[in-house]
Amino acid sequence: MGSTGADTSQDELTVLITGFGAFKKDFPVNPSWEIAKELPEYLPPLRAKTRAAGATSDDAAPYLPPVRLLVHPEAIHVSYDVVRDLVPGLWDLDRQLHPERPKIDVAVHIGMAGPRPYYSIERRGHRDGYAMKDVDGKFLNDTERRLRQGKDWVWEDAPKELLTDLDIDDVLKRWKKYSPNDADLRVSEDAGRYLCDFIYFSSLAHLDKAGEPLNVIFLHVPSDSTDQAVTLGKDLLLQLVRSIAESEVARRALRKK
């Protein structure tokens, strides 16, 4: 069962989605943003063909409330400073100050992973080890910043790595069920210690510090930005969101028992 915007009497799930901008001269078009920027406002209903392809004799159409897709309005500049300044506002945890903004239930950050042909969801983000310059030619320099700022350093109490609270193995199983059989979908244990890893850990650490569930995941997509690849990437992203929503609804139901 899919989600539409028609039934507003049900609680919605809101999924924040972000993509990155151009990556130097080699990749002036970043497929992560091309995939994200034209998504529908709500997760569409599951197509009959997709449902039939993924069904087994034991499957029942899972209930889902409407799932709102809240796409960040612009591609994120591939910069350490930009990401560090941006992430807290993405989550906007202070509902009293901004009651008009939807509460984010889950975030999916998307980034490009070079020419490899597969799609991967990342299990963990890393605090340290960012040795490459961003597109502005700047290093993160957190070792020096940590020494200078001491207890005021933004990640002072954060562990070296943080794992998503989403049941990523269950999500992968559901994602494969709804995706083309030839789609290479994986769980990754290393987000790369560059801006993809950095935005992922930034979200994880922000939520951890706030005492919130770490309901965020990172999706790495191939570098192919042709129309065909973007169309496939968009469909795979929608099925990933569906899989995350199903998994979370199922977990919440178990907690109530």
Side-chain angles (χ1 to χ4, degrees), residues 94-213:
D94 191 344
R95 308 306 311 154
Q96 293 181 343
L97 286 179
H98 301 286
E100 75 283 0
R101 300 185 190 178
K103 181 182 183 299
I104 306 302
D105 295 294
V106 178
V108 180
H109 297 303
I110 316 171
M112 181 187 68
R116 68 191 195 188
Y118 60 89
Y119 298 77
S120 60
I121 46 178
E122 302 293 340
R123 191 187 304 272
R124 69 194 73 227
H126 300 92
R127 186 190 68 188
D128 308 322
Y130 296 91
M132 292 184 287
K133 294 180 180 179
D134 62 20
V135 296
D136 296 328
K138 296 181 179 180
F139 290 107
L140 177 58
N141 287 328
D142 254 9
T143 300
E144 183 274 335
R145 185 178 290 107
R146 186 179 188 182
L147 289 172
R148 185 177 73 251
Q149 295 178 346
K151 293 182 178 180
D152 293 329
W153 182 52
V154 63
W155 289 344
E156 174 60 23
D157 296 322
K160 290 184 178 180
E161 64 178 35
L162 284 167
L163 279 64
T164 178
D165 278 347
L166 299 175
D167 187 343
I168 196 168
D169 296 307
D170 181 61
V171 168
L172 178 66
K173 180 177 68 175
R174 295 172 186 270
W175 192 25
K176 286 183 173 181
K177 180 177 69 173
Y178 290 132
S179 300
N181 291 333
D182 59 351
D184 191 346
L185 311 177
R186 310 180 186 182
V187 169
S188 166
E189 306 292 346
D190 186 356
R193 288 180 170 84
Y194 192 49
L195 265 298
C196 294
D197 205 339
F198 187 69
I199 195 172
Y200 192 26
F201 188 84
S202 295
S203 270
L204 289 164
H206 182 75
L207 294 170
D208 187 55
K209 187 174 183 179
E212 296 284 329

Side-chain angles (χ1 to χ4, degrees), residues 27-80:
F27 299 98
V29 177
N30 194 318
S32 68
W33 177 240
E34 298 303 302
I35 289 168
K37 70 180 183 180
E38 294 182 357
L39 292 173
E41 185 179 359
Y42 283 86
L43 183 67
L46 190 62
R47 296 192 301 269
K49 184 181 293 186
T50 304
R51 185 185 297 115
T56 70
S57 58
D58 297 324
D59 282 338
Y63 161 76
L64 282 184
V67 179
R68 182 179 182 182
L69 307 179
L70 188 65
V71 180
H72 184 63
E74 59 186 12
I76 296 174
H77 189 54
V78 186
S79 155
Y80 294 116

